[in-house]
Amino acid sequence: MAQPLIKKDDDRDDEAEYSPFLGIEKGAVLQEARVFNDPQLDPRRCSQVITKLLYLLNQGENFTKIEATEVFFAVTKLFQSRDIGLRRMVYLMIKEISPSADEVIIVTSSLMKDMNSKTDMYRANSIRVLCRITDGTLLTQIERYLKQAIVDKNPVVASAALVSGIHLLQTNPEIVKRWSNEVQEAVQSRAALVQFHALALLHQIRQNDRLAVSKLVTSLTRGTVRSPLAQCLLIRYTSQVIRESATSTQTGDRPFYDFLEGCLRHKAEMVIFEAAKAITELHGVTSRELTPAITVLQLFLSSSKPVLRFAAVRTLNKVAMIHPLAVTNCNIDMESLISDQNRSIATLAITTLLKTGNESSVDRLMKQITNFMSDIADEFKIVVIEAIKSLCLKFPLKYRSLMNFLSNILREEGGFDYKKAIVDSIVILIRDIPDAKESGLLHLCEFIEDCEFTYLSTQILHFLGIEGPKTSDPSKYIRYIYNRVHLENATVRASAVSTLARFGVTVESLRPRIYVLLRRCLFDNDDEVRDRATLYLKTLEGDDTATKTEKDATDFLFGSLDVPLINLATSLKNYVSSEEPFNINSVPKEIKSQPVAEKKAPGKKPAGLGAPPIGPTSTVDAYEKLLSSIPEFADFGKLFKSSAPVELTEAETEYAVNVVKHIFNSHVVFQYNCTNTIPEQLLENVTVVVDASEAEEFTEVISKPLRSLPYDSPGQTFVAFEKPEGIPAVGKFSNMLRFIVKEVDPSTGEAEEDGVEDEYQLEDLEVVAADYMLKVGVSNFKNAWESLGPDCERVDEYGLGARESLAEAVGAVINLLGMQPCEGTEAVPSNSRSHTCLLSGVYYGDVKVLVRLSFGIDSSREVAMKLAARSDDEDVSDAIHEIVACG
């Protein structure tokens, strides 16, 4: 019986996996390349072999020097063929092989012959190849031909020369800058691509001369540009001139705005969009200036071309972040895009509507989004969730419908990132909208019944333990929590036990019930669960005198650890082999890390204790041990902090010097780590003369010189200053390295008896406010913040002026305060308009301090900051604000 025929085209899977290059090997292709040497060349066969070679090169296949040379010489023989298609492949192959300088000369004559050929295709491609493989010497010889090519009547040849000039500008700028007249002439060309490439090259030639760029833009905005591509470039250059002139122009008129507005009436869609986008991105753009741009973008929303709809809705989405009212007129058009077949367009439309919608439109939007969510990928869903969270914070009275929406999609299928985004949003809404707390917590409780992600379950349980006891009926959450003890893995069970204990400590009426439940956990088969249950039961029974009150018990069980975990681990390891009782106060509070110089000096050898200590001993311990061994510093008391080494010399200089600032209660010791990098010299009686005229509160009390400093042997010299006790004094110090130089005989290694006094100027050194702050992290910032309470809280707002980005402002404040960022909040998402940063530390006098920074940046890049500081001492909270105010 005959089998039914099946067409190959119907087998889509096989077709998708098929590749013409499947299974090719370098060795086999190199064997095939021998066809290049045949007396009778087969152009089709040679082209196929070159295609395979190009494929291997682009896949990252490495050719040895011999293999590359053999292929190169074989390919050059193909210049004898008259086949145009093969000649193009030869050009590509020579460009990809990138022959060495001694091999280039082999093809130079052939390429120069092609460059003067009557065939335009040969001329254009030979120019591209020559400019790719030649050096500056040969480039000078062919410069005349390249200038002629730039103004050639054939647009293909002219574009090839111009594009080559753009590439050559990176390696031979002086030669390319001599082509300005020819390039200026090419800008007037009627060919679209030639004008585009000429304008791009001319701008690159003049880009470092602001006045020249301004003149170029002024001359071209008068209507001499015909190419739509060149017009788009001109719009970008015009925007650059507007940005640069905004800082120096005080008048209300914005230069070149009329040109941008005029481009909105161009016949080419790409030019219209580029102009609209440029207007929306102007610094400090007004509603009047935005209106014409928004109007054309609104027209694009109903375009039949998906690319125009996407471009318009994405631009409007960005505008809505800063000027939501300006986009509201487009809402009706964007609502029709929710059902767009392109899911990217639909997602942007929804998120824009969520930013620009009013309170009355929330319910209608939620109905439309519900049907939409099932059709998009998780990455788009996360974007929508972020927008919904912002909308809920904007209209808190609508929390019920928005919270129900988040709860419903939380039960649907989805990956970890998607579910985490929903949970994070619900948590933020619970914290910021008091009325949403109880319903939000119940939604989270219902979710963990079926949650497959351990991390999310533990985070929800932890949050439930903090917020649950504060609700009107905490008992209704106990069932959900205790179910996790029976139905989950050990990690979640341990977290559930901790949450139960939190309820027991905080809610006295639930304590008997919690006690019974924790007793049952003593029989769990996991050590962690049993240990936690035992600890919590012991505390709830009140057997420990240190946890008699509710606050004591909460601090003991759930308070933040004010020492870094890595330091605690090291101290516990030492305790195991010791007979002394363990004391938590003996654990170093400064984070252990290798000291990094504040000024990086690559290639410089670390000097003295500026080098990272070897072994488990922390940097602080090493410095403390060193200083305590010096009798002059013995009565200075306990060392509070040692800074990272600060470089006082540039890289690769005769002498390498860095300084470490040691902070005591009433003294500051400068430890100068010195290295002699000259083999023929021996330095003796090395000291640093410090001028403290700009540090009035400091008085020099001790200078300890370094007796001898041989070549490449680090040593230290010290200078100690007295300052007011308990006062975080600051000041600037100038430093001069002074020593006696003795010449060393290279053959014997012995130094001469007589020496010469010499000195070497070092960089200035500053003692700043950050030197009085220890970077000490907290395991849970929210708990630590609440434990300090609002009694010693100080809040104020500051203007930080114009900044390049929000990330720059955040980094500057962190460096100014010298505190430890918590929970990864030092990282600022790109294009973010607001950010919250959490910092912790221990201030001078061993006072714990926490800081919450809220940043915002407007369209003119002006940054505002709200700073809230809490500590055990209100004077320290005030000191934090004083540091920022004076910084």
Side-chain angles (χ1 to χ4, degrees), residues 680-682 684 740-746 748-756:
E680 297 81 12
Q681 286 187 359
L682 169 68
E684 291 186 348
I740 296 174
V741 182
K742 291 186 177 181
E743 296 295 326
V744 176
D745 187 344
T748 63
E750 295 182 357
E752 296 179 355
E753 291 186 5
D754 297 328
V756 179

Side-chain angles (χ1 to χ4, degrees), residues 21-41:
F21 304 107
L22 191 64
I24 69 170
E25 295 180 357
K26 182 177 72 172
V29 177
L30 291 175
Q31 289 291 329
E32 290 183 61
R34 293 180 178 179
V35 300
F36 300 160
N37 301 315
D38 290 350
Q40 297 295 325
L41 290 173

